[in-house]
């Protein structure tokens, strides 16, 4: 049964049938199915990879990419508030945002959902966040960690610019920095001077949770 529900969700989504996708999401979000919210989030994330492939290979055009993004946003909005963690203690604050020039926010929002559910107080700066705004937010909120998301290769340099800006303002020393998103890699993160690369939102949350215990 579980498999069937997830297949219906990804099938409807990849057919770009919004109503059917949201109905399938609703069934899982209501808790009336055997599939979990986390499985639904993972299934949609996997389907979005396939959307990207179709776009890259010229099978789909910008209109389909935009519409798929819109459907995914509505489905994720039903799911991410329901992500459950073991939040029985306050773990500290995290500032997150998608770097300058980049408007992709689905992955960042999944990370935010998991981090919230794990007990972190997340200050979300949104998308297209300028390096100065990241640094201003770190100065204002004094978070234990900063999280940056980046999906566009041409925007990856922004990660380095943010780290330089933090360094310049003397804000880097006490701060841990985790980065994620399809445009980044472990080695890029290391070279840019981040503390960690998160290949997915669960790992990202696990990393900041480890830091908060250290
Ligand atoms: Co765009 N897009 N897009 N897009 N888009 C990609 C990224 C692309 C890879 C598609 C492709 O060609 N294969 C490609 C980038 C190529 C590159 O740079 N190498 C691309 C392009 C080219 C573009 C435009 C330039 C298209 C155009 O206009 N010609 C344009 C750029 C706009 C801009 O940002 N300035 C554009 C626009 C869009 C939409 C707005 C239509 C829409 C975004 C909707 C939205 O986010 N609200 C969109 C979409 C949907 C995609 C794909 C298909 C899906 C992205 C996504 O949400 N994935 C994407 C293809 C792909 O990624 N393979 C693509 C699901 C999400 C859960 O994954 O964000 O990777 P992701 O998050 C993962 C992990 O990376 C990690 O956790 C998540 C899973 O648990 N993670 C973190 C991410 N951030 C993290 C932060 C953390 C920790 C973990 O800590 C802080």
């Amino acid at each position: 049964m579980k498999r069937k529900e997830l297949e219906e969700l990804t099938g409807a989504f990849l057919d770009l049938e919004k109503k059917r996708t949201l109905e399938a999401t609703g069934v899982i979000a209501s808790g009336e199915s055997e599939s979990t919210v986390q499985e639904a989030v993972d299934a949609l994330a996997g389907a979005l990879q396939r959307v990207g492939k179709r776009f890259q290979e010229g099978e789909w055009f910008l209109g389909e990419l935009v519409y798929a993004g819109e459907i995914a946003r509505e489905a994720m909005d039903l799911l991410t508030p329901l992500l459950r963690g073991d939040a029985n203690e306050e773990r500290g604050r995290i500032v997150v945002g998608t770097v300058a020039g980049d408007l992709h926010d689905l992955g960042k929002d999944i990370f935010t959902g998991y981090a919230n559910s794990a007990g972190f107080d997340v200050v979300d700066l949104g998308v297209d966040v300028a390096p100065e705004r990241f640094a201003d937010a770190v100065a204002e909120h004094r978070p234990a960690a900063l999280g940056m998301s980046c999906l566009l290769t041409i925007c990856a340099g922004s990660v380095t610019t943010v780290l330089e800006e933090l360094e310049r303002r003397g804000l880097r020393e006490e701060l841990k920095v985790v980065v994620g998103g399809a445009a980044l890699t472990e080695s890029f993160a290391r070279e840019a001077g981040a503390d960690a690369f998160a290949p997915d939102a669960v790992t990202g949350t696990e990393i900041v949770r480890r830091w908060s215990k250290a």
Side-chain angles (χ1 to χ4, degrees):
M1 185 61 185
K2 196 184 243 190
R3 203 184 166 81
K4 220 170 148 218
E5 290 151 2
L6 295 172
E7 267 170 17
E8 166 60 9
L9 174 61
T10 51
F13 176 64
L14 289 169
D15 287 343
L16 293 179
E17 287 189 28
K18 187 172 178 173
K19 190 165 172 279
R20 231 179 93 209
T21 307
L22 296 179
E23 274 166 10
T25 308
V27 170
I28 298 173
S30 70
E32 283 162 22
S33 83
E34 282 178 27
S35 306
T36 64
V37 168
Q38 182 167 347
E39 283 169 334
V41 169
D42 288 347
L44 278 171
L48 276 158
Q49 297 261 26
R50 291 174 64 185
V51 169
K53 201 154 182 280
R54 287 180 185 182
F55 177 68
Q56 200 172 1
E57 289 171 357
E59 189 185 335
W60 277 8
F61 297 99
L62 191 57
E64 279 112 342
L65 184 72
V66 171
Y67 192 48
E70 194 183 305
I71 299 174
R73 154 64 47 222
E74 288 192 34
M76 290 295 189
D77 283 350
L78 295 174
L79 296 169
T80 44
L82 303 173
L83 289 170
R84 263 188 261 281
D86 52 352
N88 44 19
E89 54 181 289
E90 269 284 320
R91 293 188 195 274
R93 185 169 294 157
I94 312 175
V95 166
V96 301
T98 299
V99 298
D102 192 339
L103 302 176
H104 296 84
D105 59 4
L106 295 165
K108 166 186 71 63
D109 291 350
I110 297 173
F111 171 76
T112 298
Y114 278 115
N116 268 322
S117 76
F120 288 98
D121 169 21
V122 182
V123 178
D124 187 349
L125 304 178
V127 296
D128 189 16
V129 181
E132 300 72 28
R133 249 189 89 216
F134 271 118
D136 288 348
V138 168
E140 182 187 344
H141 300 287
R142 295 281 162 185
L146 169 68
M148 286 183 269
S149 184
C150 177
L151 271 85
L152 294 179
T153 312
I154 50 162
C155 297
S158 290
V159 170
T160 315
T161 314
V162 172
L163 290 164
E164 284 167 359
E165 182 65 12
L166 291 168
E167 197 80 59
R168 198 181 64 77
R169 293 206 210 172
L171 295 166
R172 180 68 181 95
E173 212 161 291
E174 305 274 292
L175 184 73
K176 291 282 195 183
V177 178
V178 58
V179 297
L184 308 181
T185 59
E186 181 87 53
S187 62
F188 175 89
R190 210 175 314 116
E191 276 165 35
D195 296 293
F197 167 71
D200 58 67
V202 173
T203 309
T205 307
E206 207 33 62
I207 289 168
V208 287
R209 200 208 304 250
R210 257 199 330 264
W211 287 338
S212 77
K213 282 182 184 161

